[in-house]
Amino acid sequence: MTRHELAMHKARVAHNLADWLGGLYELQAQLRPNSPLETGINQAIANTLQALGNLEKSSCGVSKCK
C-alpha cells in the first residue's frame, strides 16, 4: 500500500468511527440512565473515542506503521 492509499484508508476508518459514535450518542440519549444497556453504550463510546485518538496519533492508520 502506498502512503496515499494508507492515508485514504485512515480517513475512511475515521469517518466510519465518527458515524458509529454519532449512532451511539443517539442511542444513549434514548436509554434510561444507569441501565445496564446505557452502561454498555457508555463503554462503547469510550472505546470508540480511544480508537479515534489512536488513529489520529498513528502516522498511517495501520497498527504496525507508527
Side-chain angles (χ1 to χ4, degrees), residues 7-59:
M8 294 300 293
H9 177 71
K10 181 178 176 178
R12 281 191 303 274
V13 170
H15 179 79
N16 290 340
L17 284 172
D19 282 348
W20 169 254
L21 187 60
L24 289 173
Y25 279 127
E26 288 176 19
L27 181 58
Q28 181 192 44
Q30 298 172 26
L31 297 174
R32 191 183 52 198
N34 300 315
S35 69
L37 185 54
E38 194 226 11
T39 301
I41 293 298
N42 288 343
Q43 186 61 54
I45 288 170
N47 292 346
T48 304
L49 290 171
Q50 181 67 46
L52 280 168
N54 291 344
L55 186 62
E56 186 177 321
K57 289 177 193 173
S58 74
S59 64

